[in-house]
Amino acid sequence: MRRLTRTVAAAALATALALVGGCSSDSDKSESSGGAGGTLEKVTYLTSFGNFGRDSYAWVAKDKGFFKEAGFDVDIKPGQGTGSVIQTITGGQADFGPIDLTGGILQLGNGQAKDFVAVAAIQQRTMAAIVTVEGKNIATPKDLEGKKLADTPTSVVRNLFPTYARLAGIDNSKVTWVNGEAQGLIGMLGSGSVDGIGQFVVGQPTVEAVAKKKPVVLPYSNVMQDLYGNALITSTKIAKEKPEMVKKFTAALLKGLEYSLEHPDEAGEILKKNVPAANPAASAAELRLMAAYVRSSNSGTAIGTLDSGRVAKSIALLQGAGALKQNLTPDQIINFDLAPKA
């Protein structure tokens, strides 16, 4: 009996070590690459919008030891859209997080936010979209008139909608918006309480899994082709005071992004392990759809690059649509010294 007890205890200890450290070699590398005395720098990271497959790469970077190898102990928390992520980071409650870059331009250009900078692209094209399901009689942007849509108040999909509506020929005054939380939007769509939701195009598999209906997607990129998707941001304070730390964190996160795109099924399982409510199959499907947005022919060879000319075009598009109150330059929202080079 005593021998059996020792055997079970040893097995339990081995399992615990495997779950916490991933493997002994990862643990050794992470300690040796930490700060003074091998300690890890604590970082709080926000996802862009809840905990869906599109954000699983942060969990992958943590699970695979990429953050530890770079010297970081990362606490991952769910974000609630562009405006909320910016507010939390500039308020000092988080250090990094992805926002929709166009949403960031809107926030900065309209005096709604300041003191943040983007340091890497996550997607080279915007994934913003209105998503509905079959049976709602919505097939074109014009069909959104007279309909009720839901999103978080600070989501880029919602805040960019007036510009999208203008370019797509929609009478914005005939569309009603109601508030919802990131994780609850698809449920609202599935229950029939709303006709559509603000969502990313890669959310199609998750929408179908939750709503049990085939999704219908109206991508913003159909009428706004130069816009970037999500970009990693930090506060201007951190960017100025800890540039090398920003570069190391960015590299580790992008390593997780690249690994997730190459191993979407594993990434889905890692997300499920950390977020029990996640659907691993839907998460993997989201990543497969997202790959085409992360890797783009005009982005150079490196994941994460940002081009000043394209950002300038995005600003000009928004200015032309009357969506910006202030003039902006790319350098005001991007720290190109910290961003990956093409």
Side-chain angles (χ1 to χ4, degrees), residues 149-287:
L149 308 178
D151 204 348
T152 62
T154 58
S155 165
V156 67
V157 178
R158 184 167 177 174
N159 288 294
L160 188 55
F161 186 81
T163 303
Y164 169 72
R166 179 175 175 176
L167 295 173
I170 304 166
D171 184 344
N172 186 35
S173 67
K174 296 181 179 179
V175 179
T176 301
W177 285 92
V178 297
N179 295 336
E181 293 294 321
Q183 295 291 143
L185 290 174
I186 298 176
M188 295 174 70
L189 179 61
S191 70
S193 61
V194 295
D195 301 301
I197 57 175
Q199 188 61 250
F200 280 171
V201 293
V202 297
Q204 297 173 60
T206 304
V207 170
E208 189 164 8
V210 174
K212 309 300 181 185
K213 296 177 181 179
K214 187 174 181 180
V216 176
V217 182
L218 301 176
Y220 283 14
S221 60
N222 285 353
V223 297
M224 297 182 284
Q225 298 177 356
D226 284 320
L227 304 184
Y228 278 92
N230 277 355
L232 178 68
I233 69 162
T234 188
S235 67
T236 52
K237 176 180 172 66
I238 291 176
K240 181 179 180 180
E241 296 179 358
K242 298 182 176 182
E244 291 307 312
M245 174 265 209
V246 173
K247 290 180 181 179
K248 288 180 181 179
F249 181 87
T250 300
L253 183 71
L254 294 180
K255 188 175 180 180
L257 174 61
E258 191 160 20
Y259 189 96
S260 299
L261 297 179
E262 293 173 354
H263 306 88
D265 292 321
E266 182 183 355
E269 292 298 336
I270 289 173
L271 180 62
K272 173 69 174 178
K273 182 173 72 173
N274 290 280
V275 183
N279 182 321
S283 297
E286 283 198 6
L287 287 169

Side-chain angles (χ1 to χ4, degrees), residues 312-325:
K313 287 182 180 180
S314 298
I315 293 172
L317 173 69
L318 296 173
Q319 287 176 328
L324 295 179
K325 296 178 182 177

